[in-house]
Amino acid sequence: MANASSISRSLRRSLAPDDLHRLLLQRSRAFVTAECHRPVVLHKRGPDILHDPWFNRGTAFSMTERDRLGLRGLLPPSVVSSQQQIDRFMGDLKRLEQNARDGPSDTYQLAKWRILNRLHDRNETMYYKVLIDNIEEYAPIVYTPTVGAVCQNYSGLFRRPRGMYFSAEDRGEMMSMVYNWPADQVDMIVVTDGSRILGLGDLGVQGIGIAIGKLDLYVAAAGINPQRVLPVMIDVGTNNEKLLKDPLYLGLQEHRLEGEEYVEIIDEFMEAVFSRWPNVIVQFEDFQSKWAFRLLQRYRKTYRMFNDDVQGTAGVAIAGLLGAVRAQGRPMIDFPKQKIVVAGAGSAGIGVVNAASRTMARMLGNNEIAFESARSQFWIVDAHGLITEERVDIDPDARPFARRKSELTHQGLNEGASLIEVVKKVKPDVILGLSAVGGLFSKEVLEAVKDSSSSRPAIFAMSNPTKNAECTPEEAFSIIGEKVVFSSGSPFDDVDLGDGKIGHSNQGNNMYLFPGIGLGTLLSGARIVSDGMLQAAAERLASYMKEEEVLQGIIYPPTSRIRDITKEVAAAVVREAVADDLAEGYRDMDARELARLSEEETVDYVKNNMWNPVYPTVVYKKD
Ligand SMILES: NC(=O)C1=CN([C@@H]2O[C@H](COP(=O)(O)OP(=O)(O)OC[C@H]3O[C@@H](n4cnc5c(N)ncnc54)[C@H](O)[C@@H]3O)[C@@H](O)[C@H]2O)C=CC1
Ligand SMILES: CC(=O)C(=O)O
Ligand SMILES: [Mg+2]
């Protein structure tokens, strides 16, 4: 009724009370309508709008509004109505209520994630302080396993955007879109196309959660400044039929782009980010295998990039495999004698076999005979069984490791032999799972491992999240016995073996390497991420564990030491980049200065360049 005063006193006096009331109502309605149509003048653009609860309308901003307000690329591509936003919120709320009634399923973990995420939205310094100080408790929330559930429920959990979204609709626009990001300096990008999130398959645009989780570890473990990290989702559609039909899904509801069209989009993205931030490092994460390998080959010689699933996982596995050799009371140099059965021939499995066989070959003299000998220590089993030369349509990335026909007769194995047959015949020292199949290391398989030729067989159940682990530590220790060395991708508790003995449950996850690889690359100013730098990272992780620890079956450090191990790994990467003549320096530290640093000084240099969560002094300056 704000316009009531516009009715003159004489008119008021001449009208009956009901008529006056009706007139006042009419006038006030007209006033409200006029107000609604009057434009709201904003004195801000881009992320400032999204972070202002007064003006933010999130995914309900239309495409023209996104263009007008510098928001293009800062929101998932789908535009939704305000009613859809409410539906999504209510659906999520109901689902949580439902789960709560059904018992303590994932709800508590997701609830913790929500609370942490809200803190992340409000106050980054405090968020990272909480994370760093309680990393053992919260890494499983911001990272695997809970981040998997977050990605699966992302369209429902979505409140505020974080990171950038490039979609198939943005072709030709990316070079300008990158300027919608507010930071002039970006050190680390983690990018995914959502096609294989952990072991959960194609989650489309919802996969942005994994890029966010990985960058949380970059800040917490590697001390990368949180203002200089950028999670990126490249939405080229999804082949997940459930998401394609879900009215609340936030991504493009069309099948994935394939072939050259797909490659052109990734090319455009790479050109755009390196054009605005020439010194950025791009970590590729959770791309389906066919693209993981192809894109790695395409970019690794020209851009500062690496693929975490192929290269980070390989380094962590090598460190663990070397630890398993030491746990047997043998020197690392005995590694080439280990017989290793790998279940899973995707980006992770093949990445591990490639790098581990190269490590063996180096130990054997690095010649053709050494490579052949190293190759023959691996047996790869995928969804179709043992991979041999006789495989029809063999994946070119697996071909070098296919078992030879001549070896098969000798071992009594055939193309497609089952995992259990292979384990029974080979009697491996190690079985390593990167299959994404929970429970694959069944009772029968673990029973067969008891006949291993090793005094301390090792089980690596590396698939994520928890439900995809090939077996649990309880299963491994109870079936094989207390001598087993156990490691899993997602965290499990240690096992009480009775009589005061503990069965150690190691977490074999690439989180022990990727933060140090990124930080070492940044601080060395290396133009590419070389095999030598990756190898140095893996070796440093392997040597980090003390003799008495590995003899107890502790082959990876606890998460509480992740910041320390990351600093050491980064220093090893810096030194290798210098030795390889790839380092170009960072800020005041040029390549020559870097080369002069001793081992200890390099570690100090890394430590001094790690961001810490303390409030800085703030001053105001007018534009
Ligand atoms: N612990 C860690 O640091 C990491 C773990 N991973 C995990 O590894 C898993 C696989 O990742 P990618 O290789 O990228 O996936 P992918 O989907 O490309 O490969 C899966 C492979 O497993 C095989 N497979 C499926 N069923 C099988 C069965 N019954 N027996 C044997 N093999 C079978 C498939 O044929 C395929 O070769 C995921 O769960 C992922 O979370 C991936 C990277 C790092
Ligand atoms: C850990 C990781 O990178 C994965 O499971 O894909
Ligand atoms: Mg991954």
Side-chain angles (χ1 to χ4, degrees), residues 231-264:
V232 172
M233 155 53 57
I234 300 188
D235 185 357
V236 292
T238 177
N239 292 342
N240 181 327
E241 293 302 323
K242 207 169 137 213
L243 296 179
L244 285 170
K245 290 189 202 111
D246 182 351
L248 304 182
Y249 177 61
L250 288 172
L252 292 185
Q253 284 188 303
E254 50 199 54
H255 283 105
R256 282 185 176 276
L257 279 189
E258 291 293 344
E260 282 317 302
E261 270 189 302
Y262 174 86
V263 177
E264 277 166 22

PDB file of all heavy atoms in Angstrom, residues 231-264:
ATOM      1  N   PRO A 231      38.187 -25.988 -10.957  1.00  0.00           N
ATOM      2  CA  PRO A 231      37.579 -27.242 -11.399  1.00  0.00           C
ATOM      3  C   PRO A 231      36.820 -27.019 -12.711  1.00  0.00           C
ATOM      4  O   PRO A 231      36.134 -25.999 -12.840  1.00  0.00           O
ATOM      5  CB  PRO A 231      36.583 -27.587 -10.278  1.00  0.00           C
ATOM      6  CG  PRO A 231      36.635 -26.471  -9.279  1.00  0.00           C
ATOM      7  CD  PRO A 231      37.454 -25.350  -9.844  1.00  0.00           C
ATOM      8  N   VAL A 232      36.960 -27.938 -13.650  1.00  0.00           N
ATOM      9  CA  VAL A 232      36.300 -27.757 -14.951  1.00  0.00           C
ATOM     10  C   VAL A 232      35.540 -29.012 -15.365  1.00  0.00           C
ATOM     11  O   VAL A 232      36.035 -30.129 -15.242  1.00  0.00           O
ATOM     12  CB  VAL A 232      37.329 -27.405 -16.051  1.00  0.00           C
ATOM     13  CG1 VAL A 232      36.675 -27.424 -17.431  1.00  0.00           C
ATOM     14  CG2 VAL A 232      37.940 -26.027 -15.802  1.00  0.00           C
ATOM     15  N   MET A 233      34.345 -28.778 -15.866  1.00  0.00           N
ATOM     16  CA  MET A 233      33.539 -29.850 -16.450  1.00  0.00           C
ATOM     17  C   MET A 233      33.352 -29.558 -17.928  1.00  0.00           C
ATOM     18  O   MET A 233      32.934 -28.451 -18.292  1.00  0.00           O
ATOM     19  CB  MET A 233      32.187 -29.871 -15.727  1.00  0.00           C
ATOM     20  CG  MET A 233      31.009 -30.450 -16.471  1.00  0.00           C
ATOM     21  SD  MET A 233      31.222 -32.087 -17.144  1.00  0.00           S
ATOM     22  CE  MET A 233      31.641 -33.031 -15.716  1.00  0.00           C
ATOM     23  N   ILE A 234      33.702 -30.528 -18.759  1.00  0.00           N
ATOM     24  CA  ILE A 234      33.414 -30.373 -20.188  1.00  0.00           C
ATOM     25  C   ILE A 234      32.224 -31.276 -20.481  1.00  0.00           C
ATOM     26  O   ILE A 234      32.342 -32.504 -20.466  1.00  0.00           O
ATOM     27  CB  ILE A 234      34.627 -30.740 -21.058  1.00  0.00           C
ATOM     28  CG1 ILE A 234      35.796 -29.814 -20.677  1.00  0.00           C
ATOM     29  CG2 ILE A 234      34.274 -30.610 -22.540  1.00  0.00           C
ATOM     30  CD1 ILE A 234      36.998 -29.914 -21.571  1.00  0.00           C
ATOM     31  N   ASP A 235      31.081 -30.662 -20.706  1.00  0.00           N
ATOM     32  CA  ASP A 235      29.839 -31.415 -20.877  1.00  0.00           C
ATOM     33  C   ASP A 235      29.594 -31.636 -22.368  1.00  0.00           C
ATOM     34  O   ASP A 235      29.181 -30.724 -23.079  1.00  0.00           O
ATOM     35  CB  ASP A 235      28.686 -30.628 -20.241  1.00  0.00           C
ATOM     36  CG  ASP A 235      27.377 -31.401 -20.277  1.00  0.00           C
ATOM     37  OD1 ASP A 235      27.364 -32.509 -20.850  1.00  0.00           O
ATOM     38  OD2 ASP A 235      26.379 -30.902 -19.736  1.00  0.00           O
ATOM     39  N   VAL A 236      29.861 -32.877 -22.788  1.00  0.00           N
ATOM     40  CA  VAL A 236      29.600 -33.209 -24.202  1.00  0.00           C
ATOM     41  C   VAL A 236      28.421 -34.169 -24.286  1.00  0.00           C
ATOM     42  O   VAL A 236      28.283 -34.929 -25.228  1.00  0.00           O
ATOM     43  CB  VAL A 236      30.842 -33.846 -24.865  1.00  0.00           C
ATOM     44  CG1 VAL A 236      31.971 -32.858 -25.010  1.00  0.00           C
ATOM     45  CG2 VAL A 236      31.298 -35.082 -24.088  1.00  0.00           C
ATOM     46  N   GLY A 237      27.555 -34.133 -23.254  1.00  0.00           N
ATOM     47  CA  GLY A 237      26.418 -35.050 -23.200  1.00  0.00           C
ATOM     48  C   GLY A 237      26.726 -36.216 -22.276  1.00  0.00           C
ATOM     49  O   GLY A 237      27.762 -36.242 -21.602  1.00  0.00           O
ATOM     50  N   THR A 238      25.812 -37.166 -22.217  1.00  0.00           N
ATOM     51  CA  THR A 238      26.010 -38.349 -21.377  1.00  0.00           C
ATOM     52  C   THR A 238      25.344 -39.548 -22.052  1.00  0.00           C
ATOM     53  O   THR A 238      24.347 -39.378 -22.763  1.00  0.00           O
ATOM     54  CB  THR A 238      25.412 -38.142 -19.965  1.00  0.00           C
ATOM     55  OG1 THR A 238      25.574 -39.346 -19.215  1.00  0.00           O
ATOM     56  CG2 THR A 238      23.931 -37.773 -19.975  1.00  0.00           C
ATOM     57  N   ASN A 239      25.907 -40.711 -21.814  1.00  0.00           N
ATOM     58  CA  ASN A 239      25.254 -41.930 -22.318  1.00  0.00           C
ATOM     59  C   ASN A 239      24.541 -42.661 -21.188  1.00  0.00           C
ATOM     60  O   ASN A 239      24.158 -43.814 -21.336  1.00  0.00           O
ATOM     61  CB  ASN A 239      26.277 -42.854 -22.991  1.00  0.00           C
ATOM     62  CG  ASN A 239      26.806 -42.230 -24.272  1.00  0.00           C
ATOM     63  OD1 ASN A 239      26.189 -41.301 -24.817  1.00  0.00           O
ATOM     64  ND2 ASN A 239      27.937 -42.701 -24.755  1.00  0.00           N
ATOM     65  N   ASN A 240      24.373 -41.981 -20.063  1.00  0.00           N
ATOM     66  CA  ASN A 240      23.682 -42.567 -18.915  1.00  0.00           C
ATOM     67  C   ASN A 240      22.175 -42.361 -19.133  1.00  0.00           C
ATOM     68  O   ASN A 240      21.665 -41.233 -19.022  1.00  0.00           O
ATOM     69  CB  ASN A 240      24.178 -41.860 -17.642  1.00  0.00           C
ATOM     70  CG  ASN A 240      23.543 -42.395 -16.389  1.00  0.00           C
ATOM     71  OD1 ASN A 240      22.389 -42.810 -16.386  1.00  0.00           O
ATOM     72  ND2 ASN A 240      24.313 -42.379 -15.314  1.00  0.00           N
ATOM     73  N   GLU A 241      21.485 -43.457 -19.453  1.00  0.00           N
ATOM     74  CA  GLU A 241      20.069 -43.353 -19.852  1.00  0.00           C
ATOM     75  C   GLU A 241      19.210 -42.772 -18.735  1.00  0.00           C
ATOM     76  O   GLU A 241      18.243 -42.051 -18.990  1.00  0.00           O
ATOM     77  CB  GLU A 241      19.513 -44.726 -20.280  1.00  0.00           C
ATOM     78  CG  GLU A 241      20.134 -45.267 -21.567  1.00  0.00           C
ATOM     79  CD  GLU A 241      19.965 -44.334 -22.775  1.00  0.00           C
ATOM     80  OE1 GLU A 241      18.901 -43.689 -22.894  1.00  0.00           O
ATOM     81  OE2 GLU A 241      20.916 -44.242 -23.596  1.00  0.00           O
ATOM     82  N   LYS A 242      19.584 -43.076 -17.479  1.00  0.00           N
ATOM     83  CA  LYS A 242      18.803 -42.560 -16.355  1.00  0.00           C
ATOM     84  C   LYS A 242      18.884 -41.016 -16.318  1.00  0.00           C
ATOM     85  O   LYS A 242      17.880 -40.335 -16.161  1.00  0.00           O
ATOM     86  CB  LYS A 242      19.372 -43.155 -15.059  1.00  0.00           C
ATOM     87  CG  LYS A 242      18.365 -43.265 -13.963  1.00  0.00           C
ATOM     88  CD  LYS A 242      18.896 -44.083 -12.806  1.00  0.00           C
ATOM     89  CE  LYS A 242      18.518 -43.400 -11.507  1.00  0.00           C
ATOM     90  NZ  LYS A 242      19.467 -43.559 -10.450  1.00  0.00           N
ATOM     91  N   LEU A 243      20.100 -40.510 -16.522  1.00  0.00           N
ATOM     92  CA  LEU A 243      20.268 -39.046 -16.488  1.00  0.00           C
ATOM     93  C   LEU A 243      19.612 -38.397 -17.707  1.00  0.00           C
ATOM     94  O   LEU A 243      19.090 -37.278 -17.620  1.00  0.00           O
ATOM     95  CB  LEU A 243      21.757 -38.682 -16.425  1.00  0.00           C
ATOM     96  CG  LEU A 243      22.500 -39.133 -15.165  1.00  0.00           C
ATOM     97  CD1 LEU A 243      23.976 -38.737 -15.225  1.00  0.00           C
ATOM     98  CD2 LEU A 243      21.858 -38.551 -13.907  1.00  0.00           C
ATOM     99  N   LEU A 244      19.641 -39.108 -18.826  1.00  0.00           N
ATOM    100  CA  LEU A 244      19.027 -38.539 -20.035  1.00  0.00           C
ATOM    101  C   LEU A 244      17.524 -38.329 -19.851  1.00  0.00           C
ATOM    102  O   LEU A 244      16.928 -37.470 -20.490  1.00  0.00           O
ATOM    103  CB  LEU A 244      19.292 -39.457 -21.235  1.00  0.00           C
ATOM    104  CG  LEU A 244      20.716 -39.411 -21.805  1.00  0.00           C
ATOM    105  CD1 LEU A 244      20.934 -40.526 -22.808  1.00  0.00           C
ATOM    106  CD2 LEU A 244      21.014 -38.054 -22.438  1.00  0.00           C
ATOM    107  N   LYS A 245      16.943 -39.152 -18.959  1.00  0.00           N
ATOM    108  CA  LYS A 245      15.480 -39.038 -18.754  1.00  0.00           C
ATOM    109  C   LYS A 245      15.131 -38.227 -17.512  1.00  0.00           C
ATOM    110  O   LYS A 245      13.963 -37.966 -17.256  1.00  0.00           O
ATOM    111  CB  LYS A 245      14.898 -40.451 -18.579  1.00  0.00           C
ATOM    112  CG  LYS A 245      14.919 -41.259 -19.858  1.00  0.00           C
ATOM    113  CD  LYS A 245      14.136 -42.547 -19.680  1.00  0.00           C
ATOM    114  CE  LYS A 245      14.576 -43.582 -20.694  1.00  0.00           C
ATOM    115  NZ  LYS A 245      15.293 -44.699 -20.114  1.00  0.00           N
ATOM    116  N   ASP A 246      16.117 -37.844 -16.735  1.00  0.00           N
ATOM    117  CA  ASP A 246      15.845 -37.189 -15.452  1.00  0.00           C
ATOM    118  C   ASP A 246      15.534 -35.706 -15.667  1.00  0.00           C
ATOM    119  O   ASP A 246      16.379 -34.939 -16.122  1.00  0.00           O
ATOM    120  CB  ASP A 246      17.090 -37.352 -14.545  1.00  0.00           C
ATOM    121  CG  ASP A 246      16.894 -36.741 -13.174  1.00  0.00           C
ATOM    122  OD1 ASP A 246      15.872 -36.053 -12.969  1.00  0.00           O
ATOM    123  OD2 ASP A 246      17.762 -36.943 -12.317  1.00  0.00           O
ATOM    124  N   PRO A 247      14.303 -35.270 -15.349  1.00  0.00           N
ATOM    125  CA  PRO A 247      13.954 -33.865 -15.601  1.00  0.00           C
ATOM    126  C   PRO A 247      14.791 -32.885 -14.773  1.00  0.00           C
ATOM    127  O   PRO A 247      14.856 -31.701 -15.093  1.00  0.00           O
ATOM    128  CB  PRO A 247      12.480 -33.777 -15.196  1.00  0.00           C
ATOM    129  CG  PRO A 247      12.211 -34.973 -14.344  1.00  0.00           C
ATOM    130  CD  PRO A 247      13.200 -36.025 -14.730  1.00  0.00           C
ATOM    131  N   LEU A 248      15.410 -33.388 -13.722  1.00  0.00           N
ATOM    132  CA  LEU A 248      16.176 -32.481 -12.857  1.00  0.00           C
ATOM    133  C   LEU A 248      17.666 -32.478 -13.189  1.00  0.00           C
ATOM    134  O   LEU A 248      18.449 -31.776 -12.541  1.00  0.00           O
ATOM    135  CB  LEU A 248      15.981 -32.869 -11.379  1.00  0.00           C
ATOM    136  CG  LEU A 248      14.533 -32.906 -10.908  1.00  0.00           C
ATOM    137  CD1 LEU A 248      14.465 -33.251  -9.430  1.00  0.00           C
ATOM    138  CD2 LEU A 248      13.849 -31.564 -11.157  1.00  0.00           C
ATOM    139  N   TYR A 249      18.074 -33.271 -14.180  1.00  0.00           N
ATOM    140  CA  TYR A 249      19.492 -33.344 -14.540  1.00  0.00           C
ATOM    141  C   TYR A 249      19.973 -31.988 -15.047  1.00  0.00           C
ATOM    142  O   TYR A 249      19.284 -31.330 -15.839  1.00  0.00           O
ATOM    143  CB  TYR A 249      19.681 -34.434 -15.605  1.00  0.00           C
ATOM    144  CG  TYR A 249      21.094 -34.546 -16.113  1.00  0.00           C
ATOM    145  CD1 TYR A 249      22.130 -34.864 -15.245  1.00  0.00           C
ATOM    146  CD2 TYR A 249      21.392 -34.327 -17.469  1.00  0.00           C
ATOM    147  CE1 TYR A 249      23.437 -34.968 -15.710  1.00  0.00           C
ATOM    148  CE2 TYR A 249      22.683 -34.439 -17.935  1.00  0.00           C
ATOM    149  CZ  TYR A 249      23.703 -34.747 -17.052  1.00  0.00           C
ATOM    150  OH  TYR A 249      24.992 -34.837 -17.511  1.00  0.00           O
ATOM    151  N   LEU A 250      21.175 -31.596 -14.627  1.00  0.00           N
ATOM    152  CA  LEU A 250      21.658 -30.244 -14.940  1.00  0.00           C
ATOM    153  C   LEU A 250      22.532 -30.152 -16.192  1.00  0.00           C
ATOM    154  O   LEU A 250      22.972 -29.065 -16.548  1.00  0.00           O
ATOM    155  CB  LEU A 250      22.448 -29.699 -13.747  1.00  0.00           C
ATOM    156  CG  LEU A 250      21.616 -29.313 -12.520  1.00  0.00           C
ATOM    157  CD1 LEU A 250      22.514 -28.985 -11.338  1.00  0.00           C
ATOM    158  CD2 LEU A 250      20.714 -28.120 -12.838  1.00  0.00           C
ATOM    159  N   GLY A 251      22.809 -31.284 -16.807  1.00  0.00           N
ATOM    160  CA  GLY A 251      23.706 -31.243 -17.970  1.00  0.00           C
ATOM    161  C   GLY A 251      22.941 -31.311 -19.280  1.00  0.00           C
ATOM    162  O   GLY A 251      21.706 -31.309 -19.312  1.00  0.00           O
ATOM    163  N   LEU A 252      23.720 -31.388 -20.380  1.00  0.00           N
ATOM    164  CA  LEU A 252      23.095 -31.498 -21.695  1.00  0.00           C
ATOM    165  C   LEU A 252      22.421 -32.865 -21.814  1.00  0.00           C
ATOM    166  O   LEU A 252      23.073 -33.891 -21.580  1.00  0.00           O
ATOM    167  CB  LEU A 252      24.145 -31.396 -22.798  1.00  0.00           C
ATOM    168  CG  LEU A 252      24.835 -30.050 -22.976  1.00  0.00           C
ATOM    169  CD1 LEU A 252      25.764 -30.099 -24.190  1.00  0.00           C
ATOM    170  CD2 LEU A 252      23.813 -28.927 -23.140  1.00  0.00           C
ATOM    171  N   GLN A 253      21.146 -32.874 -22.162  1.00  0.00           N
ATOM    172  CA  GLN A 253      20.438 -34.165 -22.236  1.00  0.00           C
ATOM    173  C   GLN A 253      20.469 -34.693 -23.658  1.00  0.00           C
ATOM    174  O   GLN A 253      19.466 -34.727 -24.357  1.00  0.00           O
ATOM    175  CB  GLN A 253      19.035 -34.020 -21.672  1.00  0.00           C
ATOM    176  CG  GLN A 253      19.130 -33.959 -20.135  1.00  0.00           C
ATOM    177  CD  GLN A 253      17.823 -33.994 -19.429  1.00  0.00           C
ATOM    178  OE1 GLN A 253      16.987 -33.150 -19.702  1.00  0.00           O
ATOM    179  NE2 GLN A 253      17.632 -34.921 -18.508  1.00  0.00           N
ATOM    180  N   GLU A 254      21.671 -35.067 -24.053  1.00  0.00           N
ATOM    181  CA  GLU A 254      21.856 -35.699 -25.360  1.00  0.00           C
ATOM    182  C   GLU A 254      23.013 -36.671 -25.246  1.00  0.00           C
ATOM    183  O   GLU A 254      23.792 -36.602 -24.287  1.00  0.00           O
ATOM    184  CB  GLU A 254      22.135 -34.637 -26.430  1.00  0.00           C
ATOM    185  CG  GLU A 254      23.215 -33.678 -26.041  1.00  0.00           C
ATOM    186  CD  GLU A 254      23.178 -32.373 -26.861  1.00  0.00           C
ATOM    187  OE1 GLU A 254      22.121 -31.720 -26.909  1.00  0.00           O
ATOM    188  OE2 GLU A 254      24.222 -32.035 -27.425  1.00  0.00           O
ATOM    189  N   HIS A 255      23.095 -37.600 -26.203  1.00  0.00           N
ATOM    190  CA  HIS A 255      24.178 -38.581 -26.123  1.00  0.00           C
ATOM    191  C   HIS A 255      25.522 -37.898 -26.346  1.00  0.00           C
ATOM    192  O   HIS A 255      25.602 -36.845 -26.962  1.00  0.00           O
ATOM    193  CB  HIS A 255      23.949 -39.716 -27.135  1.00  0.00           C
ATOM    194  CG  HIS A 255      22.898 -40.670 -26.659  1.00  0.00           C
ATOM    195  ND1 HIS A 255      21.634 -40.698 -27.170  1.00  0.00           N
ATOM    196  CD2 HIS A 255      22.931 -41.595 -25.666  1.00  0.00           C
ATOM    197  CE1 HIS A 255      20.917 -41.610 -26.526  1.00  0.00           C
ATOM    198  NE2 HIS A 255      21.673 -42.163 -25.603  1.00  0.00           N
ATOM    199  N   ARG A 256      26.556 -38.531 -25.799  1.00  0.00           N
ATOM    200  CA  ARG A 256      27.895 -37.963 -25.871  1.00  0.00           C
ATOM    201  C   ARG A 256      28.353 -37.733 -27.305  1.00  0.00           C
ATOM    202  O   ARG A 256      28.130 -38.583 -28.173  1.00  0.00           O
ATOM    203  CB  ARG A 256      28.915 -38.923 -25.233  1.00  0.00           C
ATOM    204  CG  ARG A 256      28.899 -38.878 -23.769  1.00  0.00           C
ATOM    205  CD  ARG A 256      29.962 -39.721 -23.125  1.00  0.00           C
ATOM    206  NE  ARG A 256      29.843 -39.483 -21.709  1.00  0.00           N
ATOM    207  CZ  ARG A 256      30.401 -38.460 -21.063  1.00  0.00           C
ATOM    208  NH1 ARG A 256      31.198 -37.629 -21.706  1.00  0.00           N
ATOM    209  NH2 ARG A 256      30.199 -38.268 -19.795  1.00  0.00           N
ATOM    210  N   LEU A 257      29.053 -36.645 -27.489  1.00  0.00           N
ATOM    211  CA  LEU A 257      29.710 -36.425 -28.784  1.00  0.00           C
ATOM    212  C   LEU A 257      30.854 -37.416 -28.902  1.00  0.00           C
ATOM    213  O   LEU A 257      31.485 -37.749 -27.906  1.00  0.00           O
ATOM    214  CB  LEU A 257      30.314 -35.032 -28.830  1.00  0.00           C
ATOM    215  CG  LEU A 257      29.428 -33.860 -29.144  1.00  0.00           C
ATOM    216  CD1 LEU A 257      30.309 -32.624 -29.338  1.00  0.00           C
ATOM    217  CD2 LEU A 257      28.634 -34.105 -30.411  1.00  0.00           C
ATOM    218  N   GLU A 258      31.125 -37.843 -30.095  1.00  0.00           N
ATOM    219  CA  GLU A 258      32.215 -38.803 -30.305  1.00  0.00           C
ATOM    220  C   GLU A 258      33.144 -38.291 -31.410  1.00  0.00           C
ATOM    221  O   GLU A 258      32.879 -37.257 -32.021  1.00  0.00           O
ATOM    222  CB  GLU A 258      31.646 -40.177 -30.718  1.00  0.00           C
ATOM    223  CG  GLU A 258      30.875 -40.900 -29.609  1.00  0.00           C
ATOM    224  CD  GLU A 258      31.732 -41.356 -28.436  1.00  0.00           C
ATOM    225  OE1 GLU A 258      32.975 -41.398 -28.580  1.00  0.00           O
ATOM    226  OE2 GLU A 258      31.167 -41.652 -27.364  1.00  0.00           O
ATOM    227  N   GLY A 259      34.205 -39.036 -31.647  1.00  0.00           N
ATOM    228  CA  GLY A 259      35.082 -38.800 -32.800  1.00  0.00           C
ATOM    229  C   GLY A 259      35.710 -37.421 -32.813  1.00  0.00           C
ATOM    230  O   GLY A 259      35.975 -36.812 -31.778  1.00  0.00           O
ATOM    231  N   GLU A 260      35.894 -36.914 -34.028  1.00  0.00           N
ATOM    232  CA  GLU A 260      36.623 -35.648 -34.198  1.00  0.00           C
ATOM    233  C   GLU A 260      35.921 -34.470 -33.533  1.00  0.00           C
ATOM    234  O   GLU A 260      36.560 -33.550 -33.037  1.00  0.00           O
ATOM    235  CB  GLU A 260      36.868 -35.362 -35.681  1.00  0.00           C
ATOM    236  CG  GLU A 260      38.025 -36.171 -36.265  1.00  0.00           C
ATOM    237  CD  GLU A 260      39.261 -36.220 -35.336  1.00  0.00           C
ATOM    238  OE1 GLU A 260      39.797 -35.164 -34.983  1.00  0.00           O
ATOM    239  OE2 GLU A 260      39.678 -37.334 -34.958  1.00  0.00           O
ATOM    240  N   GLU A 261      34.571 -34.524 -33.521  1.00  0.00           N
ATOM    241  CA  GLU A 261      33.822 -33.415 -32.893  1.00  0.00           C
ATOM    242  C   GLU A 261      34.209 -33.284 -31.426  1.00  0.00           C
ATOM    243  O   GLU A 261      34.357 -32.190 -30.885  1.00  0.00           O
ATOM    244  CB  GLU A 261      32.317 -33.699 -32.977  1.00  0.00           C
ATOM    245  CG  GLU A 261      31.670 -33.163 -34.223  1.00  0.00           C
ATOM    246  CD  GLU A 261      30.161 -33.306 -34.115  1.00  0.00           C
ATOM    247  OE1 GLU A 261      29.693 -34.445 -33.937  1.00  0.00           O
ATOM    248  OE2 GLU A 261      29.469 -32.281 -34.203  1.00  0.00           O
ATOM    249  N   TYR A 262      34.357 -34.442 -30.778  1.00  0.00           N
ATOM    250  CA  TYR A 262      34.746 -34.462 -29.355  1.00  0.00           C
ATOM    251  C   TYR A 262      36.142 -33.877 -29.199  1.00  0.00           C
ATOM    252  O   TYR A 262      36.379 -32.990 -28.374  1.00  0.00           O
ATOM    253  CB  TYR A 262      34.681 -35.906 -28.847  1.00  0.00           C
ATOM    254  CG  TYR A 262      35.192 -36.087 -27.438  1.00  0.00           C
ATOM    255  CD1 TYR A 262      34.364 -35.894 -26.341  1.00  0.00           C
ATOM    256  CD2 TYR A 262      36.522 -36.453 -27.197  1.00  0.00           C
ATOM    257  CE1 TYR A 262      34.829 -36.053 -25.043  1.00  0.00           C
ATOM    258  CE2 TYR A 262      36.999 -36.615 -25.907  1.00  0.00           C
ATOM    259  CZ  TYR A 262      36.148 -36.406 -24.832  1.00  0.00           C
ATOM    260  OH  TYR A 262      36.626 -36.569 -23.556  1.00  0.00           O
ATOM    261  N   VAL A 263      37.068 -34.369 -30.016  1.00  0.00           N
ATOM    262  CA  VAL A 263      38.457 -33.916 -29.903  1.00  0.00           C
ATOM    263  C   VAL A 263      38.552 -32.408 -30.132  1.00  0.00           C
ATOM    264  O   VAL A 263      39.284 -31.703 -29.435  1.00  0.00           O
ATOM    265  CB  VAL A 263      39.361 -34.691 -30.896  1.00  0.00           C
ATOM    266  CG1 VAL A 263      40.793 -34.182 -30.826  1.00  0.00           C
ATOM    267  CG2 VAL A 263      39.324 -36.177 -30.600  1.00  0.00           C
ATOM    268  N   GLU A 264      37.767 -31.900 -31.078  1.00  0.00           N
ATOM    269  CA  GLU A 264      37.812 -30.454 -31.366  1.00  0.00           C
ATOM    270  C   GLU A 264      37.411 -29.634 -30.136  1.00  0.00           C
ATOM    271  O   GLU A 264      37.963 -28.571 -29.876  1.00  0.00           O
ATOM    272  CB  GLU A 264      36.865 -30.118 -32.527  1.00  0.00           C
ATOM    273  CG  GLU A 264      37.497 -30.375 -33.888  1.00  0.00           C
ATOM    274  CD  GLU A 264      36.464 -30.372 -35.001  1.00  0.00           C
ATOM    275  OE1 GLU A 264      35.381 -29.783 -34.819  1.00  0.00           O
ATOM    276  OE2 GLU A 264      36.754 -31.000 -36.049  1.00  0.00           O
TER     277      GLU A 264
END
